[in-house]
Amino acid sequence: MTRVSVAGARGRMGSLAVAAVQAAPDLELVAALGRGDDLAAAVGSDVFVDLTVPDQVMANVEWALGQGMHVVTGTTGFTADRVEQVTAWAQAADRHVLIATNFGIGAVLVMQLAAKAAPFFESVEVVELHHPDKVDAPSGSAIRTAKLIATARADAGLGDVPDATTTELPGARGAVVDGIHVHAVRMRGMTAHQEVVLGGPGETMTLRDDTYDRSAYMPGLLVGVRQVASRPGVTVGLEHYLDLD
Amino acid sequence: MTRVSVAGARGRMGSLAVAAVQAAPDLELVAALGRGDDLAAAVGSDVFVDLTVPDQVMANVEWALGQGMHVVTGTTGFTADRVEQVTAWAQAADRHVLIATNFGIGAVLVMQLAAKAAPFFESVEVVELHHPDKVDAPSGSAIRTAKLIATARADAGLGDVPDATTTELPGARGAVVDGIHVHAVRMRGMTAHQEVVLGGPGETMTLRDDTYDRSAYMPGLLVGVRQVASRPGVTVGLEHYLDLD
Amino acid sequence: MTRVSVAGARGRMGSLAVAAVQAAPDLELVAALGRGDDLAAAVGSDVFVDLTVPDQVMANVEWALGQGMHVVTGTTGFTADRVEQVTAWAQAADRHVLIATNFGIGAVLVMQLAAKAAPFFESVEVVELHHPDKVDAPSGSAIRTAKLIATARADAGLGDVPDATTTELPGARGAVVDGIHVHAVRMRGMTAHQEVVLGGPGETMTLRDDTYDRSAYMPGLLVGVRQVASRPGVTVGLEHYLDLD
Amino acid sequence: MTRVSVAGARGRMGSLAVAAVQAAPDLELVAALGRGDDLAAAVGSDVFVDLTVPDQVMANVEWALGQGMHVVTGTTGFTADRVEQVTAWAQAADRHVLIATNFGIGAVLVMQLAAKAAPFFESVEVVELHHPDKVDAPSGSAIRTAKLIATARADAGLGDVPDATTTELPGARGAVVDGIHVHAVRMRGMTAHQEVVLGGPGETMTLRDDTYDRSAYMPGLLVGVRQVASRPGVTVGLEHYLDLD
């Protein structure tokens, strides 16, 4: 039985995380901590889950590592400096940390598998589809996906994607991120969806993730909680826990 | 048995049309005419199919109507002036004409059904996907689809599609045609594909056509050949023969 | 301003309906009635929405028509006998009724548009996808869709769909409903989805509905509320209000 | 420059292979051998491609290995006994062999990536779609995909997929291969397509391959031709050349 505490437990992600830990037969909830609660309630946990905010997370992580806990966090704002600091604390405590901005397993797999497939196809484009209240286009995930694909193509010695367009209504061919065309659809009824289409002579392959609601992030979070004790060091990105290679 | 002649019979569409007529048990091929062949070989046909080029089609149509044939043509270049001229000839001959730039039934249905569905959804976008040797983006079909949708929305009193985008990489949200966002994907392995996505609260609907090769145009051409005798006047667009309303 | 009352207002559909009426600028909520509440609170309504249960709905509908209200109901259990009885009441009261078992506009459109498209394609199959807690397979909607398609094909003189299968693992080709193959996928994460694929030489067309949650039924319910006053008689099925033909 | 000969060069796959080798700037065609042609024309090749028939392939492979060539073959009929025999010849000649029944990179990747993703999802089903002249259902590829997925789930300690179905029209839930539901769609216009859908709470992931024609097999065949010299031993399955792990 792994003992788990959750900080940020009254937020949207945090309250789902508390319920997911409680529902898992191999996990035991020690403390569900909201803003202002005393961290001491978490003493004795094996894993500390931080789903708070950038101005709280560093103090929490330092405390938890100092208490001998491993840490899993989905809190944003981990700059290179912060990762370096966390690494120092983790080494000193001989404990492990997972920092992930996306716990959606499907979303992470689409990105990673797209990069694995990219060297074998002449063409590739990214289409992301989100609810129409989103303010940025394309999504950060789509930009990262395009960059991963671009790097994989470059490493494989592929050149530019083929594109004979000479007459274009402005924007028709999408945004171009490191040479990869990315299209953003905004659609009432949808939440967060991403599709990567790859093509060669006579064949196309499509990888698609459909995220319908926040519960999608719980299976990935539990992967982190269950594995962090056996994954030495500080890991950035859930993909490294998914044994893709 | 309907007697049919095909002009432009040595072109790519024409040769498929000749084969399709020959394979149809209710149709009889009278003449397969290439450039320079004597039209007289077609005398006695019920239906004259013209799949030639803009500088031949008008003379052919005038001759065929004068011979008492109905006409089905997929040749391009029918301006409003040309349609008016053909209408005069058809009235004088008491014969019927179908002018269509797209004989793909699925392609035509996606356009028409999208316009029928559009009044009932808050969001709608168009994604077209073609081979990477295409020079224009978006496709003419996608532009027409967007215009049909925009008209249907306006007639229903709908306003703009919802879109909260404030930060955009240039092109991410596609081209905007009469207020409708249109995205063009270029992909080796594909031929001609179009998808219309519509969305309201808790629901999305997708209409998609995949055209793999030119044989896709034969069922629609045969619809034209079989129905032209019972469709008075000059009709522009295959959709009017599909009994959608 | 149309005055509306909702019966069954404390149920899952009913509570959404109350919120939808309250949010609509052209509608005014008169009464939100739960089981046991006095119907008199609804007096003066233009439209009575019944989202109750089979053993309540008939008494409610009789009362509402007698009060001079039009009626929109999504309650189940409307046998032919019940429809006949409601028709008699509606004629006596000179009021109109909409009885619909599915207010999902996309779901209804996919069914209806599939039937419109079916005469033009040699092949057609139905794939429905639902959450894995569903006890029946295929869904009632998929069965109705297959029957509508089968009727449309028969009316058009089409024969059997082509299928050369001679070696089959049992069940691979799906259930067969009036000659149409229907496949049921059960998938955690999904709610209610249906796809109709149609195919001819060189071309396929796909119609797909994705229903993510019950809010999907509100736009269709409001179509009913807004139009019932102008649709004489008793109408069974939302599709007749969608002006598809 | 790698020197390549192709046996079976007048068959459908073989003629495409000859053209693909000729078009590749880093490959040189030595001989294109049809049935009855003297193998001696291939002497001096680095790689021998066999796309013949089961009763020719063993003699060809023995000869080519004996001549010091590496071998890539897509010919069917490689039983365990035959693979063992080829392994003995390859060891004796110190040369390498790739035996693959499917050179479609997308098709192979969908299978392999589905197996990689399977441990992370509660639900998974396979839908394959082929032209209606296919005699077996489901396809051999879909059966192999289901078996790979079932093995991956078992290795990860997952139990049965969730499925509450109690009322089923026969066949609705598809064929069941090692516990995985597999659905076979037959559709005019399509060639060979496969989709794997995986789902967990709030999320689904879809992997899809669309193979439109035989040219789809050439990129994978060329991967084999280019890599066989650096892949010791006898390899069965193109996936082992794709560096997926």
Side-chain angles (χ1 to χ4, degrees), chain B residues 202-204 206 208-210 212, chain C residues 202-204 206 208 210 212:
Chain B
E203 187 181 39
T204 56
T206 305
R208 179 172 175 128
D209 176 64
D210 293 277
Y212 307 109
Chain C
E203 187 181 39
T204 57
T206 304
R208 179 172 175 130
D210 292 278
Y212 307 109

Side-chain angles (χ1 to χ4, degrees), chain D residues 41-74:
Chain D
V43 169
S45 301
D46 303 303
V47 179
F48 185 89
V49 175
D50 190 282
L51 301 166
T52 63
V53 291
D55 70 359
Q56 280 186 40
V57 65
M58 292 300 281
N60 286 358
V61 171
E62 183 178 17
W63 178 85
L65 289 169
Q67 292 286 328
M69 304 172 195
H70 302 293
V71 172
V72 173
T73 177

Side-chain angles (χ1 to χ4, degrees), chain C residues 6 9 13 32 68 72 75 94 104 109 111 132 140 166 201 209 235-236 239 245:
Chain C
V6 177
M13 275 283 282
V72 172
T75 306
D94 195 22
L109 283 175
M111 275 191 227
T166 54
D209 176 64
T235 302
V236 180
E239 58 271 24
D245 46 35

Side-chain angles (χ1 to χ4, degrees), chain C:
Chain C
M1 187 74 81
T2 301
R3 294 163 56 83
V4 183
S5 288
V6 177
R10 294 196 284 269
R12 290 184 295 191
M13 275 283 282
S15 56
L16 286 170
V18 167
V21 169
Q22 288 176 316
D26 59 328
L27 304 179
E28 179 189 339
L29 184 71
V30 174
L33 303 163
R35 181 180 279 266
D37 290 352
D38 189 347
L39 293 174
V43 170
S45 301
D46 302 305
V47 179
F48 185 89
V49 175
D50 189 281
L51 300 166
T52 63
V53 290
D55 69 0
Q56 281 185 39
V57 64
M58 291 299 282
N60 285 359
V61 170
E62 184 178 17
W63 178 84
L65 290 169
Q67 292 286 328
M69 303 171 196
H70 302 292
V71 172
V72 172
T73 178
T75 306
T76 56
F78 274 93
T79 58
D81 282 356
R82 286 189 158 200
V83 172
E84 196 179 326
Q85 174 65 74
V86 169
T87 303
W89 290 334
Q91 283 175 336
D94 195 22
R95 284 297 173 272
H96 315 157
V97 179
L98 171 64
I99 300 170
T101 52
N102 192 340
F103 280 106
I105 286 181
V108 168
L109 283 175
V110 163
M111 275 191 227
Q112 298 295 321
L113 301 183
K116 280 187 178 294
F120 303 108
F121 290 94
E122 188 180 345
S123 294
V124 57
E125 302 204 7
V126 177
V127 182
E128 56 92 336
L129 312 93
H130 282 82
H131 60 85
D133 304 320
K134 186 173 179 59
V135 295
D136 54 318
S139 68
S141 286
I143 293 174
R144 280 195 297 279
T145 304
K147 287 179 178 291
L148 285 171
I149 289 168
T151 299
R153 286 177 63 95
D155 289 351
L158 295 183
D160 293 344
V161 294
D163 183 2
T165 309
T166 54
T167 306
E168 182 189 0
L169 284 187
R173 291 285 292 115
V176 183
V177 176
D178 291 4
I180 305 301
H181 294 257
V182 180
H183 310 268
V185 173
R186 294 295 168 261
M187 188 62 40
R188 185 68 71 209
M190 289 192 169
T191 305
H193 312 251
Q194 178 161 307
E195 187 166 306
V196 180
V197 187
L198 305 105
E203 187 181 39
T204 57
M205 185 171 80
T206 304
L207 306 174
R208 179 172 175 130
D209 176 64
D210 292 278
T211 299
Y212 307 109
D213 64 51
R214 263 189 197 79
S215 63
Y217 305 128
M218 292 308 108
L221 184 71
L222 295 191
V223 166
V225 168
R226 288 174 174 132
Q227 296 194 12
V228 64
S230 61
R231 301 278 188 173
V234 174
T235 302
V236 180
L238 179 65
E239 58 271 24
H240 303 289
Y241 280 35
L242 299 183
D243 292 327
L244 300 178
D245 46 35

